[in-house]
Amino acid sequence: MRTRPLKVALLGCGVVGSEVARIMTTHADDLAARIGAPVELAGVAVRRPSKVREGIDPTLVTTDATALVKRGDIDVVVEVIGGIEPARSLITTAFEHGASVVSANKALLAQDGAALHALAQEQGRDLYYEAAVAGAIPLIRPLRESLAGDKVNRVLGIVNGTTNFILDKMDSTGAGYQEALDEATALGYAEADPTADVEGFDAAAKAAILAGIAFHTRVRLDDVYREGMIEVTSADFASAKAMGCTIKLLAICERAADGGSVTARVHPAMIPLSHPLASVRGAYNAVFVESDAAGQLMFYGPGAGGAPTASAVLGDLVAVCRNKLSGATGPGDSAYTQLPVSPMGDVVTRYHISLDVADKPGVLAQVATVFAEHGVSIDTVRQQGRQDGGGDASLVVVTHRASDASLTGTVEALRNLDTVRGVASIMRVEGE
């Protein structure tokens, strides 16, 4: 074993960073044995140096992150501060001054992953980021390495624990959205401002990363279609149960049937109770991968939290340190296919549409005609009069597979019918 330690700079010492530092200290001998050399925490960059950080030598703490990554003797920089800046500049500086990088920064990688990969390759450095998607779940490395010889066609997953907790609570207890969100906040699953989670921004960034790796093409955050889940109601869950389904916020990345393009999207969807993702409860994550040779694979586990995310960070740290010792670098950017990203209008799936209509003869025929005119085939229809005895009824239509553009045109035409009082909800049906 080499006696000179590999030096690690830690950028950020919050929930994840403090766990990384703790594991590096308490598991130092095991890490050294696995790597072939000891690893040494050489500096910790923070915003508030006065805060007491248990188990961390105060002399290692600095507010000058740039000076830390510029030192020249740093072998690996671990970035867990998040956001675009200063993370991007610090990672760039680290590459330029001899360090490889381990990051958990999904937002930055979704936006600028291609440029960072290019710089890492130019400088002969590693860029690893297993912790950026699905916390402790080994997912990026299997996609990038284990399935490198296979053709991945679809990645379908629950990649945000906060939203899964909320939807699971609505499903299992009948709670409304706000009630379930309040419980998630009280338990620490939701941030004080949950916008990034419930509006799908967090999941969209992860979808961009997964699509890029799975399909070997460039997919940016702007390429990902996104819908949040704040409009999902108890009535939607009742309809889902009537179909033998539940509702999940899904990240879906697909290769077109002809192989000529890809799509990436995030939105709530009904999935059959028979699908493995339907049984994912609480704040857990799970990702379903479909490929030509391997078939169907599922990756499941805790998708967030200090210790689970730190586990993924340390796994990358071990890999990068081993590469340092051997004088090699790991898999770089595999975006060699340069497939176009198709718009959401090209996506083909099934739909569940709930309409408020006049309760009188001929309405169903009018609605069916609109669907036919737009080339959307109807699978099932369920109509029920209002219990209040009023003149309206609820009409639920489930379609066969159709393009999103066709469905959009159908809904616009339905809204123009005098007998349609309103479109109560539209939800895609996936996983069949």
Side-chain angles (χ1 to χ4, degrees):
M1 179 182 292
R2 193 180 80 163
T3 56
R4 185 180 74 79
L6 292 160
K7 294 189 176 183
V8 178
L10 178 61
L11 308 183
C13 198
V15 173
V16 176
S18 60
E19 279 295 310
V20 170
R22 182 189 66 79
I23 295 172
M24 285 186 63
T25 302
T26 58
H27 296 181
D29 291 342
D30 286 342
L31 289 173
R34 294 166 191 167
I35 291 169
V39 287
E40 173 188 312
L41 189 59
V44 182
V46 300
R47 287 185 296 179
R48 292 177 290 173
S50 59
K51 181 179 177 180
V52 177
R53 294 172 172 85
E54 186 177 349
I56 296 178
D57 183 349
T59 63
L60 298 179
V61 176
T62 178
T63 58
D64 194 342
T66 301
L68 177 60
V69 300
K70 278 184 173 181
R71 275 178 34 174
D73 65 336
I74 299 297
D75 294 290
V76 184
V77 169
V78 175
E79 183 272 309
V80 288
I81 57 178
I84 305 302
E85 288 292 353
R88 175 172 49 196
S89 297
L90 291 170
I91 290 174
T92 298
T93 302
F95 288 148
E96 293 171 345
H97 286 78
S100 290
V101 172
V102 173
S103 176
N105 196 330
K106 55 187 171 289
L108 177 59
L109 290 160
Q111 177 173 305
D112 292 318
L116 292 174
H117 270 296
L119 182 59
Q121 183 174 1
E122 177 186 322
Q123 298 289 338
R125 318 292 181 222
D126 272 327
L127 174 61
Y128 276 54
Y129 43 90
E130 184 67 63
V133 180
I137 304 172
L139 179 59
I140 289 178
R141 191 168 295 139
L143 282 173
R144 190 163 65 172
E145 299 178 32
S146 303
L147 296 174
D150 204 346
K151 179 183 177 183
V152 175
N153 296 309
R154 196 173 196 228
V155 179
L156 174 76
I158 299 164
V159 294
N160 183 278
T162 299
T163 54
N164 198 59
F165 178 89
I166 293 170
L167 292 172
D168 182 39
K169 187 62 62 173
M170 293 175 69
D171 185 25
S172 60
T173 70
Y177 166 76
Q178 189 60 51
E179 182 183 353
L181 172 60
D182 290 344
E183 183 173 351
T185 304
L187 292 173
Y189 293 130
E191 301 287 346
D193 180 1
T195 302
D197 295 323
V198 300
E199 292 288 4
F201 291 102
D202 175 85
K206 295 170 182 176
I209 295 170
L210 290 174
I213 295 170
F215 307 134
H216 309 288
T217 198
R218 305 231 185 272
V219 180
R220 291 170 51 91
L221 181 58
D222 292 344
D223 296 322
V224 181
Y225 174 83
R226 176 194 56 79
E227 284 181 21
M229 47 154 282
I230 61 174
E231 294 184 2
V232 176
T233 66
S234 299
D236 292 324
F237 274 101
S239 291
K241 287 181 179 179
M243 292 176 56
C245 293
T246 188
I247 299 172
K248 300 291 186 181
L249 184 75
L250 298 178
I252 305 171
C253 312
E254 292 179 306
R255 188 191 301 270
D258 63 3
S261 64
V262 300
T263 57
R265 50 195 166 105
V266 168
H267 53 71
M270 295 181 180
I271 59 171
L273 294 175
S274 59
H275 194 283
L277 291 178
S279 62
V280 178
R281 303 296 185 189
Y284 275 71
N285 285 190
V287 178
F288 203 72
V289 178
E290 300 173 12
S291 68
D292 276 0
Q296 297 178 332
L297 306 170
M298 183 162 156
F299 301 84
Y300 170 84
T309 306
S311 171
V313 170
L314 267 295
D316 279 349
L317 179 64
V318 169
V320 170
C321 286
R322 286 173 175 169
N323 291 342
K324 279 277 185 181
L325 292 180
S326 66
T329 56
D333 185 10
S334 64
Y336 57 82
T337 60
Q338 298 181 347
L339 295 173
V341 181
S342 296
M344 186 61 186
D346 291 350
V347 169
V348 175
T349 189
R350 298 179 67 208
Y351 299 87
H352 174 283
I353 304 102
S354 179
L355 305 171
D356 293 328
V357 300
D359 191 2
K360 62 182 184 180
V363 172
L364 181 56
Q366 291 181 1
V367 169
T369 297
V370 170
F371 276 87
E373 288 174 347
H374 289 82
V376 180
S377 175
I378 294 176
D379 181 18
T380 62
V381 177
R382 187 175 72 254
Q383 184 170 345
Q384 183 175 357
R386 298 293 190 194
Q387 294 181 354
D388 58 14
D392 290 347
S394 174
L395 182 65
V396 173
V397 178
V398 179
T399 75
H400 289 291
R401 289 172 60 83
S403 72
D404 198 85
S406 297
L407 193 281
T408 299
T410 302
V411 172
E412 290 177 356
L414 288 171
R415 287 193 169 107
N416 290 327
L417 289 178
D418 293 338
T419 52
V420 174
R421 310 301 193 210
V423 180
S425 73
I426 304 168
M427 193 164 294
R428 296 166 184 88
V429 182
E430 301 286 348
E432 295 180 311

